[in-house]
């Protein structure tokens, strides 16, 4: 069992490890963070006579045999407009037990508290040399879903004798909330006993921007989602309903989506003129582009260019794309519009990609042309949204490792200076795209230490992406899919079932959600069920905003860079320690609050 599985804090700050001490002056002063821990187990230990309850980091991944001990309070620090979380671990004693949870009291206006049961999924194989098969925590079954507000089946839940389970306590602070300290409790019913876990929140003065400062585009197919929810192709209304729910779920986590229905606006010809019908297009996309999808007013940062397959000529394609650009301008939509030119092309495929890019630019230069490949000098200019595999930007051991070709960092800097944008994406190259790794061979060594979105990786590996984007000067992140396990080859399957999350050598590669059907989670309406990993991605995007706020202050740039490097000294050396994340975060929050960091900013 891996030692990063979770460390505990006397009080968990922002879902992490730093302990808190309450006093009359500085209420959230740092305390002794070493007083509590999570005991990793090589096998199932003999159960203790009574239940154990402990607060653990939101980054912890509590497996059934892990034995928590020590912590009894939750303390969170959050910027206005930010969500933070912690987990309550419960371990059954000699007898099985049943757990219920509710919030006792209120954290006041502008603050929402959501409770989730952290469900387990069965992994049949390990994700590369750092993963492990077995039962892992990931799906977050809500007590009340945040989309249609229906009560779900998170509670009560049963824990077998001698096993552990977790409850995620998620606190979301509105952008207009009043700074200060708030207190409530999480009331637990464990068997016949009642316990209360104090919950303290400090709302900081600074606020996150409502819309993400980092461009994102994560793939999603509403038709694939329908297969996962209904076991069949969805009706038009079912597909559109799921499309809106999943886009909303992603935007709640500061993520923009590409794909959706994939339906391009229909068109008709009036003489030589193309006339597009945007009614269905607007129904799908407008709420996310105009800020009406969420109460916060958050907007999507990106949107993919759609092209009708029945356009007969280049002239028609140019006219069609120009009509889309004009429509966006008339609506006042500011999201970056991009053409997804090609996915991971071979070098011999670049010439036709260049011709397509030139055609797009002829239609309107504001349309970005995205290519998931290392920079090639022949394409610079027409291709202006370079999105290489993260691994291809950095050399871990030798220039010829992993990538078929790579470009020097200086080439990207020059392209950006000329107006291009630089994004990146992570893939199975973070954990290894195959099976049967021998833990000591050279191939296995390459796949250690990278950021990763697989289930059986440390939580910090997902959260690190925001920190890395700041440290490396990356302008955006692309990810290929979020529901691939719903129908990996166009055929419906149940992502909750054992082994179903496996794709490209990893568990959860391409899947961040689970179908929240009424039969699975209760209620009457189908909704998306999120995951611990999605929480970690969101927290990393919030950390990116925190780093920007600090870097914009006099003397803050060096501190922000030092903090980011503490999380990942290099993109292939990401920490597995939740405490390192929380320590860095607290130092940044203290700086914004006017406290000089220890040792200066250096």
């Amino acid at each position: 069992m891996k030692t990063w599985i979770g460390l505990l804090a006397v009080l968990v700050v922002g879902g992490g490890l730093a302990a808190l001490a309450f006093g009359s002056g500085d209420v959230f002063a740092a305390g002794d963070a070493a007083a509590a821990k999570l005991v990793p187990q090589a096998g199932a230990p003999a159960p203790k006579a009574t239940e154990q309850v402990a607060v653990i980091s939101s980054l912890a991944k509590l497996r059934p045999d892990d034995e928590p001990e020590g912590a009894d309070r939750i303390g969170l620090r959050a910027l206005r407009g930010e969500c933070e979380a912690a987990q309550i671990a419960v371990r059954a004693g000699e007898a099985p037990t049943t757990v219920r949870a509710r919030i006792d009291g209120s954290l006041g206006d502008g603050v929402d508290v959501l409770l989730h049961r952290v469900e387990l999924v069965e992994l049949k194989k390990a994700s590369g040399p750092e993963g492990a098969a077995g039962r892992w925590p990931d799906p977050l079954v809500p007590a009340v879903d945040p989309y249609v507000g229906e009560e779900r089946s998170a509670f009560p839940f049963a824990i077998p004798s001698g096993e552990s389970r977790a409850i995620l306590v998620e606190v979301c602070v509105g952008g207009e909330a009043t700074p200060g300290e708030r207190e409530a409790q999480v009331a637990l019913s464990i068997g016949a006993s009642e316990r209360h876990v104090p919950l303290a929140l400090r709302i900081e003065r600074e606020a996150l921007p409502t819309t993400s400062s980092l461009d994102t585009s994560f793939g999603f197919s509403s038709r694939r989602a329908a297969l996962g929810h209904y076991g069949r192709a969805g009706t038009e209304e079912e597909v559109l309903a799921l499309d809106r729910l999943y886009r909303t779920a992603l935007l709640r986590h500061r993520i923009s989506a590409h794909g959706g229905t994939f339906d391009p606006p229909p068109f008709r010809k009036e003489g030589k003129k193309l006339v597009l019908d945007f009614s269905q297009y607007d129904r799908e996309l407008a709420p996310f582009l105009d800020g009406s999808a969420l109460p916060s007013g958050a907007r999507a940062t990106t949107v993919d260019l759609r092209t009708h397959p029945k356009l007969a000529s280049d002239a028609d394609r140019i006219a069609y794309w120009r009509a889309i650009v004009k429509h966006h301008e008339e609506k006042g939509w500011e999201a970056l519009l991009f053409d997804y030119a090609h996915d991971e092309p071979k070098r011999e495929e670049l010439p036709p990609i260049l011709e397509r890019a030139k055609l797009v630019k002829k239609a309107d230069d504001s349309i970005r042309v995205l290519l998931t490949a290392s920079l090639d000098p022949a394409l610079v200019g027409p291709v202006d949204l370079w999105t290489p595999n993260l691994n291809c930007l950095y050399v871990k051991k030798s220039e010829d490792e992993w990538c078929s070709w790579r470009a020097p960092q200086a080439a990207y800097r020059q392209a950006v200076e000329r107006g291009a944008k630089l994004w990146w994406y992570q893939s199975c190259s973070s954990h290894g795209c195959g099976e049967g790794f021998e833990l000591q061979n050279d191939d296995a060594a390459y796949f250690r230490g990278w950021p990763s979105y697989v289930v059986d990786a440390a939580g910090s590996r997902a959260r690190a992406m925001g920190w890395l984007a700041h440290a490396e000067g990356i302008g955006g992140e692309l990810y290929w899919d979020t529901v691939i396990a719903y129908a990996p080859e166009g055929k419906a399957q149940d992502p909750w079932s054992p082994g179903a999350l496996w794709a490209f050598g990893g568990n959860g590669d391409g899947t961040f959600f689970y179908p929240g059907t009424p039969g699975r989670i209760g209620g009457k309406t189908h909704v998306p069920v999120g995951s611990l990993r999605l929480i970690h991605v969101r927290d990393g995007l919030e950390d990116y905003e925190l780093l920007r706020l600090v870097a914009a202050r006099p003397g803050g740039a060096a501190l922000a860079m030092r903090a980011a490097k503490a999380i990942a000294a290099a993109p292939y050396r990401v920490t597995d320690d939740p405490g390192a994340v929380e320590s860095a975060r607290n130092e940044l929050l203290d700086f914004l609050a006017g406290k000089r960091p220890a040792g200066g900013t250096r």
Side-chain angles (χ1 to χ4, degrees):
M1 196 79 57
K2 295 185 181 297
T3 56
W4 52 258
I5 272 299
L7 300 175
L8 289 163
V10 176
L11 283 172
V12 178
V13 186
L17 294 177
L20 302 177
F22 289 83
S24 59
D26 187 0
V27 176
F28 285 72
D32 179 10
K37 59 183 178 179
L38 185 70
V39 179
Q41 299 294 328
K48 295 186 178 181
T50 59
E51 298 89 359
Q52 300 167 260
V53 177
V55 174
I56 64 175
S57 167
S58 63
L59 290 171
K61 295 191 175 180
L62 182 75
R63 301 185 68 187
D65 291 340
D66 292 333
E67 185 176 359
E69 61 180 30
D72 60 2
R73 298 169 64 88
I74 299 172
L76 302 173
R77 297 175 70 178
L79 297 163
R80 292 182 295 134
E82 184 175 34
C83 294
E84 286 297 323
Q87 296 180 84
I88 300 174
V90 181
R91 186 170 182 80
E94 293 176 343
T97 194
T98 301
V99 178
R100 292 175 172 84
R102 60 180 173 83
I103 296 297
D104 188 0
S106 171
L107 292 177
D109 293 342
V111 180
D112 293 325
V113 183
L114 297 87
L115 297 179
H116 311 260
R117 181 182 83 243
V118 184
E119 186 60 271
L120 300 174
V121 289
E122 179 76 23
L123 309 182
K124 294 294 190 180
K125 308 170 187 175
S127 298
E130 295 183 300
R135 290 181 292 168
W136 283 81
D138 195 50
L140 300 177
V141 178
V144 177
D145 77 78
Y147 308 108
V148 297
E150 292 180 2
E151 186 175 344
R152 304 293 179 168
S153 62
F155 308 107
F157 64 88
I159 306 179
S161 170
E163 290 195 359
S164 297
R165 298 291 188 273
I167 298 163
L168 185 82
V169 182
E170 183 182 13
V171 177
C172 293
V173 179
E176 303 301 320
T178 303
E181 286 79 37
R182 317 275 183 95
E183 293 184 359
Q185 296 184 96
V186 181
L188 300 176
S189 296
I190 305 175
S193 66
E194 187 89 6
R195 303 192 190 190
H196 288 80
V197 177
L199 168 59
L201 169 68
R202 177 175 178 173
I203 302 174
E204 307 287 342
R205 293 193 304 267
E206 298 292 334
L208 296 185
T210 300
T211 295
S212 176
S213 302
L214 185 71
D215 291 338
T216 57
S217 187
F218 281 37
F220 165 69
S221 166
S222 45
R223 289 188 170 84
R224 180 176 286 122
L227 288 169
H229 278 264
Y230 300 107
R232 55 167 172 78
T235 65
E236 181 180 353
E237 287 304 312
E238 288 169 342
V239 168
L240 287 173
L242 289 174
D243 192 273
R244 176 137 190 179
L245 285 166
Y246 277 82
R247 285 183 185 273
T248 300
L250 287 166
L251 194 58
R252 282 189 73 248
H253 294 82
R254 305 185 74 84
I255 296 170
S256 304
H258 67 260
T261 67
F262 292 87
D263 292 339
F267 70 93
R268 69 179 188 275
K269 272 199 165 185
E270 294 181 354
K272 293 184 178 181
K273 183 180 179 181
L274 284 183
V275 179
L276 279 63
D277 178 0
F278 285 105
S279 56
Q280 195 78 338
Y281 182 86
D282 289 355
R283 181 182 177 187
E284 178 183 348
L285 296 176
F288 304 94
L289 298 176
D290 65 19
S292 62
L294 295 177
S296 67
R299 299 185 179 209
T301 58
T302 62
V303 60
D304 50 315
L305 180 70
R306 296 182 180 183
T307 305
H308 203 288
K310 292 187 177 180
L311 293 165
S313 66
D314 285 349
D316 283 349
R317 278 182 276 276
I318 288 172
Y320 188 90
W321 294 331
R322 284 176 177 168
I324 291 177
V325 171
K326 183 179 179 182
H327 184 69
H328 281 236
E329 290 173 345
E330 290 173 345
K331 291 287 187 178
W333 296 340
E334 298 177 355
L336 182 149
L337 180 64
F338 70 91
D339 179 50
Y340 201 139
H342 200 291
D343 189 58
E344 297 182 342
K346 298 176 181 178
R347 209 146 196 181
E348 58 267 26
E349 296 174 309
L350 295 183
I353 292 171
L354 176 60
E355 294 308 309
R356 158 84 178 207
K358 289 178 178 178
L359 192 68
V360 171
K361 288 300 185 180
K362 187 175 181 180
D364 196 289
D365 193 55
S366 69
I367 304 171
R368 295 281 178 166
V369 177
L370 181 151
L371 187 63
T372 54
S374 295
L375 183 146
D376 186 288
L379 276 68
V380 171
V383 173
D384 56 357
L385 184 47
W386 289 101
T387 309
N389 187 321
L390 182 152
N391 298 58
C392 299
L393 286 169
Y394 307 97
V395 175
K396 188 173 185 181
K397 187 176 179 180
S398 63
E399 287 283 347
D400 60 351
E401 63 192 13
W402 189 252
C403 304
S404 57
W405 84 88
R406 65 178 74 240
Q409 294 281 348
Y412 290 105
R413 288 194 296 270
Q414 291 169 6
V416 170
E417 288 170 359
R418 293 173 54 184
K421 287 180 174 287
L422 175 60
W423 289 7
W424 61 12
Y425 70 98
Q426 62 161 279
S427 69
C428 61
S429 54
S430 287
H431 54 263
C433 299
E435 301 178 39
F437 285 96
E438 296 295 333
L439 297 187
Q440 302 303 317
N441 69 24
D442 289 343
D443 287 342
Y446 177 79
F447 297 113
R448 295 179 183 272
W450 296 94
S452 178
Y453 289 156
V454 295
V455 173
D456 47 332
S460 56
R461 296 294 186 91
R463 188 164 179 169
M465 286 295 286
W467 298 79
L468 282 166
H470 177 83
E472 302 298 325
I474 302 298
E477 180 181 357
L478 181 78
Y479 192 69
W480 72 290
D481 206 341
T482 52
V483 292
I484 190 64
Y486 288 34
E489 296 179 357
K491 184 179 179 181
Q493 75 166 8
D494 179 11
W496 300 85
S497 63
L501 295 175
W502 181 262
F504 294 97
N507 298 291
D509 191 332
T511 303
F512 277 107
F513 291 105
Y514 298 82
T517 65
R520 169 70 68 170
I521 68 167
K524 298 178 180 180
T525 309
H526 288 253
V527 294
V529 168
S531 59
L532 271 179
R533 292 170 296 132
L534 192 60
I535 293 288
H536 300 155
V537 173
R538 178 204 65 198
D539 288 348
L541 291 169
E542 292 175 341
D543 295 337
Y544 176 85
E545 304 291 357
L546 174 59
L547 289 159
R548 291 184 81 246
L549 287 171
V550 169
R553 294 281 188 90
L559 171 62
M561 185 60 70
R562 189 174 79 242
K565 290 295 184 180
I567 306 309
Y572 44 82
R573 292 173 57 193
V574 178
T575 183
D576 286 343
D577 178 13
V581 177
E582 211 49 55
S583 178
R585 185 173 181 274
N586 284 330
E587 189 175 14
L588 297 172
L589 289 172
D590 287 345
F591 178 83
L592 289 180
K595 296 181 181 179
R596 182 175 177 82
T601 57
R602 287 197 293 273

